[in-house]
Amino acid sequence: MRTPAYLVHDPILFKEMAIKDFDHFTDHVTEITVEHDPLLARSLFFTNGARWRHHRSGLSPAFTGSKIRNMFALVAKSAGDAMDRLVVSSRGKSFTMELRDLYSKLGNDAMTSISFGVEVDSLTDPENEFFLKGKRLAKVDGLPGLKLLMTTILPGLFKFLRLGVLYKDVNEFYLEAVSTNIRYREQNYIKRPDFIHLLLQARKNQLNTEQSEDDELQSAGFSTAETHRVESQKESTTTEKLQWHDIDITAAAVSFFFGGIESTTTLLCFTSYELAVNPDIQARLQIEVDNARRELVDGKTPTYEVLQKMKYLDMVVTEALRRWAPFGLTNRRCTKDYTFTNTDGTRVTIERGLNVSIPLKAFHLDEKFFPDPLRFDPERFADPNLINQDAYVPFGTGLRNCIGSRLALMQAKCI
């Protein structure tokens, strides 16, 4: 709405902005206040400044390879139980299920388990409160979608109207659910390998990154976003001391829940579509799955280590993320004047306060980087050394990349 903005269509420039010159582009464009969106405004994506640095540095140890591996059993159990129920439902009859609805339910159950420590069954009980509230939380069309769009294109008006993106009952439900869960665990000394446990460790300054992790454990596949160390500012510019209160823990869990459902559901739907219209690729992947099953104790429940060995599965998921990036566009706000040399040799200065858009999807579909870009071809990633890794950014790049890339990849591959 008449606010000048820049479009960065060179992946190398984006990488420089996101890493080397990050101090010029530390913030996202959206402006949401904690008064009107107490959970969303505290989540990593919508947080800026000192609060973002504090939460990002505090949460990073929760997403290391070993932490994700510890959570894998919860995801595998959730997905396995759902598959067993589907088999029972299909015996002696044929039935139709909308694929996005199926993956949404699978994702809801898995993420409810690892985000909130609660076991639910949305396939046979679609009216359970966590699924119903999860649908309202993840609703990105209608009125919530319009308000979310306003936070980007009309942030001043959105702030002036004192609007909130999430429904009030959704905020209240998750805050009560997490607070109750925290009290129950602390009173009964319960430890569970999920995010609530990790966030409680962060509250006590006991959440640390394991120093002995090898490269194989750190990587969840080719698409894994690189880890960058973010230092928490020693002196906060905010009036309140940044600590992990119940509402901060709830906001973090809710943001993992939202990101884990929406992005993974989108990835799984498009992957399933491509496997359906490319039967040769599907057949090759099926062979790898069958071979992997022979290594399993019960012949069906994968282990994290077996999943990591499945190279063709990783190639299929990697290509699906290229061809159908769940988030095709990201943004940054210039926090201090930034001058660079453009491709035509001219000097360009982006002034403080202006917005920058980065079309990640355009990088992925540019034939300069990926020949015949509309063709679904997992073989592109047979040799990672042949890939322009600056142009492959399904989870963004730099210090504000997606913190949950390992979790998303692990969950999608498991399902």
Side-chain angles (χ1 to χ4, degrees):
M1 303 302 288
R2 311 309 303 160
T3 301
Y6 290 84
L7 183 71
V8 176
H9 56 86
D10 175 17
I12 295 178
L13 177 58
F14 170 44
K15 187 174 182 179
E16 289 181 356
M17 290 175 165
I19 302 176
K20 183 171 72 73
D21 301 321
F22 175 71
D23 59 332
H24 292 266
F25 301 96
T26 58
D27 294 350
H28 277 152
V29 172
T30 47
E31 292 185 11
I32 299 177
T33 64
V34 293
E35 292 80 15
H36 306 111
D37 264 303
L39 297 185
L40 209 59
R42 286 178 169 86
S43 67
L44 272 179
F45 185 84
F46 295 105
T47 303
N48 291 320
R51 182 181 293 276
W52 173 80
R53 285 185 176 276
H54 172 270
H55 282 9
R56 178 78 186 213
S57 62
L59 288 173
S60 291
F63 288 89
T64 59
S66 62
K67 301 293 198 309
I68 298 301
R69 180 179 61 180
N70 292 340
M71 292 182 198
F72 181 76
L74 299 177
V75 176
K77 179 181 183 304
S78 178
D81 290 348
M83 294 303 140
D84 290 341
R85 289 191 288 272
L86 281 175
V87 170
V88 172
S89 299
S90 64
R91 282 177 183 159
K93 61 180 179 180
S94 62
F95 71 102
T96 301
M97 179 173 283
E98 165 59 41
L99 201 61
R100 187 169 183 85
D101 182 57
L102 169 63
Y103 285 143
S104 180
K105 289 175 179 175
L106 295 180
N108 176 83
D109 292 359
M111 291 306 298
T112 298
S113 176
I114 64 177
S115 292
F116 305 112
V118 178
E119 300 284 347
V120 294
D121 172 15
S122 300
L123 279 176
T124 56
D125 180 21
E127 298 301 311
N128 76 77
E129 199 165 9
F130 271 92
F131 181 62
L132 294 178
K133 286 295 190 292
K135 286 173 65 176
R136 285 168 67 78
L137 169 68
K139 187 175 176 61
V140 292
D141 57 358
L143 183 58
L146 178 61
K147 289 193 288 187
L148 196 59
L149 185 63
M150 283 183 66
T151 66
T152 301
I153 64 171
L154 291 168
L157 178 60
F158 184 84
K159 200 171 181 179
F160 175 77
L161 294 176
R162 303 167 67 86
L163 297 174
V165 176
L166 293 185
Y167 294 107
K168 184 179 179 181
D169 65 298
V170 173
N171 284 308
E172 293 173 346
F173 169 78
Y174 284 112
L175 183 57
E176 175 62 25
V178 172
S179 297
T180 301
N181 197 306
I182 289 173
R183 289 194 298 271
Y184 182 78
R185 292 185 188 209
E186 291 179 334
Q187 291 170 1
N188 296 275
Y189 304 100
I190 292 175
K191 291 184 179 180
R192 191 174 184 269
D194 56 20
F195 279 125
I196 297 293
H197 174 65
L198 295 174
L199 292 167
L200 287 174
Q201 284 187 312
R203 171 187 280 180
K204 301 171 185 175
N205 293 317
Q206 297 174 350
L207 182 59
N208 299 307
T209 303
E210 290 80 357
Q211 300 298 320
S212 60
E213 291 192 355
D214 54 36
D215 292 339
E216 184 175 337
L217 192 58
Q218 283 285 20
S219 173
F222 181 82
S223 304
T224 308
E226 184 180 356
T227 300
H228 296 274
R229 184 175 177 81
V230 177
E231 297 290 346
S232 179
Q233 292 180 343
K234 294 181 181 179
E235 294 184 5
S236 173
T237 56
T238 57
T239 54
E240 63 172 322
K241 187 176 180 181
L242 293 172
Q243 296 178 336
W244 290 100
H245 301 291
D246 281 7
I247 194 168
D248 296 304
I249 293 176
T250 304
V254 163
S255 63
F256 305 153
F257 179 82
F258 174 79
I261 290 182
E262 274 304 299
S263 59
T264 306
T265 297
T266 301
L267 169 59
L268 286 166
C269 284
F270 279 116
T271 304
S272 297
Y273 164 76
E274 290 291 0
L275 291 174
V277 298
N278 293 282
D280 55 326
I281 296 175
Q282 181 183 155
R284 182 175 170 183
L285 180 59
Q286 184 67 58
I287 291 172
E288 185 180 60
V289 170
D290 292 341
N291 290 336
R293 281 186 165 191
R294 297 188 181 98
E295 297 184 39
L296 305 175
V297 176
D298 62 358
K300 66 176 184 177
T301 306
T303 64
Y304 191 74
E305 288 71 20
V306 165
L307 209 67
Q308 298 298 80
K309 295 177 184 177
M310 299 177 67
K311 183 178 179 181
Y312 195 66
L313 173 62
D314 187 57
M315 290 162 58
V316 168
V317 170
T318 301
E319 174 68 346
L321 284 167
R322 181 201 67 83
R323 179 64 184 86
W324 306 100
F327 294 99
L329 182 75
T330 189
N331 61 60
R332 298 288 190 274
R333 172 160 291 160
C334 185
T335 50
K336 59 181 179 180
D337 290 0
Y338 180 69
T339 302
F340 66 97
T341 302
N342 203 8
T343 47
D344 61 2
T346 59
R347 298 287 285 173
V348 177
T349 297
I350 302 177
E351 297 177 356
R352 178 177 178 272
L354 296 187
N355 301 335
V356 176
S357 292
I358 303 99
L360 308 180
K361 183 178 179 181
F363 298 164
H364 291 184
L365 300 182
D366 192 325
E367 60 184 9
K368 294 197 302 291
F369 309 124
F370 301 99
D372 195 5
L374 299 184
R375 181 166 60 94
F376 187 80
D377 180 17
E379 287 298 321
R380 296 179 199 274
F381 296 94
D383 184 357
N385 295 320
L386 300 180
I387 297 296
N388 184 328
Q389 298 193 21
D390 292 332
Y392 183 75
V393 282
F395 296 104
T397 193
L399 281 75
R400 287 207 74 147
N401 63 17
C402 176
I403 195 174
S405 65
R406 290 187 188 89
L407 174 62
L409 292 169
M410 175 265 280
Q411 184 182 349
K413 290 178 180 180
C414 180
I415 291 175

